Amino acid sequence: MSQKLAEEAIVSNFSEHDANGETKEGDTNNETDHSIFSMKNALWHGGSVWDAWFSCSSNQVAQVLLTLPYSFSQLGMLSGILLQIFYGFLGSWTAYLISVLYVEYRSRKEKEGVSFKNHVIQWFEVLDGLLGPYWKAAGLAFNCTFLLFGSVIQLIACASNIYYINDHLDKRTWTYIFGACCATTVFIPSFHNYRIWSFLGLFMTTYTAWYMAIAALVHGQTEGVTHSGPTKLVLYFTGATNILYTFGGHAVTVEIMHAMWKPRKFKYIYLLATLYVFTLTLPSAAAVYWAFGDELLNHANAFSLLPKSGFRDAAVILMLIHQFITFGFACTPLYFVWEKVIGMHETKSICLRALARLPVVIPIWFLAIIFPFFGPINSAVGALLVSFTVYIIPAIAHMLTYRTSSARQNAAEKPPSFLPSWTAMYAINIFIVVWVFIVGFGFGGWASMTNFVRQIDTFGLFAKCYQCKPPTPLPSLASPPHSYH
């Protein structure tokens, strides 16, 4: 009994420390008082449950908020709503599995006396510690590729959005500009330091979502509007994989957990974040699709159809800032991986680490210029990468980790209270693997790649201004001569 209590004390020890090995919630009164009055701590050092919730909520939906009406036009209203709810709960479950595996990995390492001071645990390391090097390689390949293209999507989206305010520069030029702006995220050390950004990011998506819903309802249905979706299997599964991508934003779950003062409290945070995100995605996508219908099939970005106004311009600007934040969220795990490769991860100098991280930004910038259409990319990334990274790999990894009776008996985290049976957990995991592999990866991969190739054939690589209207002519200073004939 005493040995068991000792082991539990060791296991719980990591929950009282942050990523830098500093005690947080167990601080002395003096240290707590200091943190209360420190503006730097209030804005910069975040590791509470609320910080994690803000990070998950603001990171889960960014530019994809503007493409969901496009997905509804491909799926139809009913399928769009049902698939959002279905994939939302599916994503919450696999985020829970990832959190369980993180706790299992870290508790085992803590028992071995391993210290994680100045070291951020990542998903591929969890897979390596629990299942071996082959799983590490798979996790690293899928996660890094997903985050790479996630960052590319944010850059493309920045250029697409600002174009609706200022169309005197083409989208490719705007991509150059925002690539330079987003490169400044190399100075943000870790997810501890996203407290104020996560809070602002959630405010921005909340404003944009409700602006979209209200603006669409005020605008009303366009004359002769039709809602014919779904009409083609290619379009249907393209839209479905975009929604799969929407609720598959937890490629950074482990990093967010590691930044918490008490990582064990993460278990249900992603579910609570998803429930809030439903209040943003469902009303906005449904209202815009109701108003514009099939017209959305040729407009992946909802901003292109909503009437120009001060409210729309405010939404565009807020989404631009939010995309900068989301770019940082997607790139930070890539920065960590690169730092570990070149041996700079435990360097304390922010400037040295920032300089070492710059090579990560350059290929992202280049890819954003090659493929300037983020709508089809969302679907392709969802089918080919998110399906494995977010759904299939966590479910299989959980089953393999607890495949023996001794592993289940000594598990750091037991099955949840609402599902206390290991058999039921295995049944859900098997369902997720089969469903996502067949529907998400199989049909979704076929549909999204067909659509993706069609976009390249239609618009070409390195498109200067994808889906742009003719440029607005500048007013002439001198009036043209009048003709009397």
Side-chain angles (χ1 to χ4, degrees):
M1 185 67 180
S2 60
Q3 182 181 358
K4 183 179 179 182
L5 290 173
E7 287 182 355
E8 288 178 354
I10 295 171
V11 171
S12 63
N13 183 53
F14 74 79
S15 68
E16 297 176 0
H17 295 74
D18 69 2
N20 296 317
E22 297 172 351
T23 303
K24 287 291 180 184
E25 293 188 0
D27 285 345
T28 63
N29 290 334
N30 289 336
E31 290 170 327
T32 304
D33 291 342
H34 174 72
S35 67
I36 291 172
F37 293 104
S38 170
M39 184 61 70
K40 180 182 177 182
N41 282 349
L43 301 179
W44 188 248
H45 293 296
S48 69
V49 170
W50 280 104
D51 288 305
W53 183 81
F54 278 118
S55 292
C56 289
S57 301
S58 64
N59 183 51
Q60 191 173 126
V61 173
Q63 180 62 27
V64 75
L65 186 69
L66 305 176
T67 66
L68 285 174
Y70 167 65
S71 297
F72 269 48
S73 69
Q74 297 169 319
L75 293 163
M77 185 74 79
L78 181 62
S79 288
I81 293 172
L82 292 178
L83 282 173
Q84 274 204 44
I85 296 170
F86 175 69
Y87 281 123
F89 283 114
L90 227 61
S92 298
W93 175 258
T94 51
Y96 168 77
L97 297 181
I98 290 172
S99 71
V100 167
L101 293 173
Y102 169 88
V103 170
E104 183 68 38
Y105 167 77
R106 188 160 182 179
S107 64
R108 291 183 186 181
K109 290 297 181 182
E110 293 284 351
K111 288 177 183 178
E112 296 171 7
V114 177
S115 171
F116 293 103
K117 186 176 182 178
N118 297 324
H119 182 94
V120 177
I121 297 173
Q122 294 187 267
W123 176 229
F124 69 90
E125 292 169 318
V126 172
L127 291 173
D128 183 31
L130 297 177
L131 298 173
Y134 292 109
W135 280 88
K136 173 186 177 180
L140 193 60
F142 278 107
N143 229 39
C144 288
T145 311
F146 170 37
L147 291 169
L148 177 75
F149 279 99
S151 304
V152 169
I153 288 167
Q154 298 312 314
L155 270 190
I156 298 169
C158 283
S160 176
N161 287 346
I162 192 64
Y163 185 77
Y164 296 119
I165 293 181
N166 184 335
D167 60 0
H168 297 306
L169 293 177
D170 59 76
K171 291 182 182 179
R172 188 166 65 192
T173 303
W174 281 120
T175 304
Y176 293 141
I177 294 169
F178 280 101
C181 293
C182 289
T184 58
T185 57
V186 297
F187 289 99
I188 302 176
S190 75
F191 284 100
H192 272 294
N193 313 116
Y194 273 97
R195 166 173 278 183
I196 187 64
W197 292 114
S198 296
F199 176 79
L200 291 175
L202 189 57
F203 163 74
M204 292 164 188
T205 52
T206 301
Y207 172 88
T208 302
W210 284 107
Y211 153 74
M212 288 168 60
I214 294 169
L217 293 173
V218 170
H219 176 273
Q221 290 186 312
T222 56
E223 187 176 351
V225 65
T226 56
H227 300 85
S228 56
T231 55
K232 297 179 181 178
L233 281 177
V234 170
L235 293 178
Y236 187 88
F237 285 108
T238 301
T241 49
N242 189 39
I243 292 181
L244 178 142
Y245 170 85
T246 302
F247 295 97
H250 42 288
V252 295
T253 298
V254 171
E255 289 83 359
I256 291 173
M257 277 190 74
H258 193 82
M260 292 179 69
W261 300 328
K262 293 189 175 181
R264 284 176 180 270
K265 291 187 176 182
F266 183 88
K267 285 185 288 187
Y268 304 117
I269 286 176
Y270 198 88
L271 174 62
L272 297 174
T274 299
L275 293 175
Y276 179 79
V277 166
F278 281 154
T279 69
L280 306 182
T281 58
L282 290 170
S284 60
V288 175
Y289 178 54
W290 169 82
F292 298 102
D294 292 346
E295 199 174 346
L296 283 158
L297 288 169
N298 297 316
H299 295 83
N301 191 325
F303 280 150
S304 63
L305 290 176
L306 292 168
K308 185 173 177 61
S309 67
F311 291 110
R312 193 193 76 164
D313 289 350
V316 171
I317 292 168
L318 290 178
M319 285 304 291
L320 284 171
I321 300 170
H322 186 266
Q323 278 146 13
F324 165 81
I325 299 168
T326 309
F327 182 91
F329 264 94
C331 262
T332 298
L334 294 176
Y335 296 152
F336 292 156
V337 172
W338 178 245
E339 287 170 358
K340 291 170 184 176
V341 168
I342 63 174
M344 293 284 288
H345 184 58
E346 297 188 7
T347 302
K348 292 185 178 180
S349 170
I350 292 177
C351 291
L352 278 177
R353 288 178 70 184
L355 191 63
R357 290 172 170 187
L358 278 176
V360 176
V361 180
I362 295 170
I364 294 170
W365 206 351
F366 186 63
L367 286 169
I369 295 165
I370 297 176
F371 304 110
F373 25 85
F374 64 85
I377 291 179
N378 278 357
S379 299
V381 169
L384 305 179
L385 299 174
V386 174
S387 56
F388 282 93
T389 301
V390 170
Y391 299 96
I392 294 174
I393 290 178
I396 295 178
H398 186 272
M399 290 190 288
L400 292 178
T401 299
Y402 298 108
R403 64 188 180 276
T404 64
S405 58
S406 61
R408 292 192 294 272
Q409 187 176 355
N410 298 316
E413 286 285 342
K414 302 299 181 185
S417 57
F418 63 88
L419 195 73
S421 165
W422 284 99
T423 304
M425 291 192 74
Y426 267 70
I428 293 175
N429 290 344
I430 290 169
F431 169 77
I432 289 173
V433 171
V434 173
W435 174 275
V436 174
F437 185 79
I438 294 173
V439 177
F441 177 71
F443 288 108
W446 160 72
S448 60
M449 289 312 297
T450 301
N451 190 35
F452 189 74
V453 171
R454 187 179 299 157
Q455 297 290 342
I456 296 175
D457 290 341
T458 306
F459 298 99
L461 301 177
F462 296 98
K464 190 173 184 179
C465 209
Y466 171 71
Q467 285 189 348
C468 293
K469 296 177 181 178
T472 306
L474 293 171
S476 176
L477 295 177
S479 299
H482 293 286
S483 174
Y484 297 99
H485 300 286

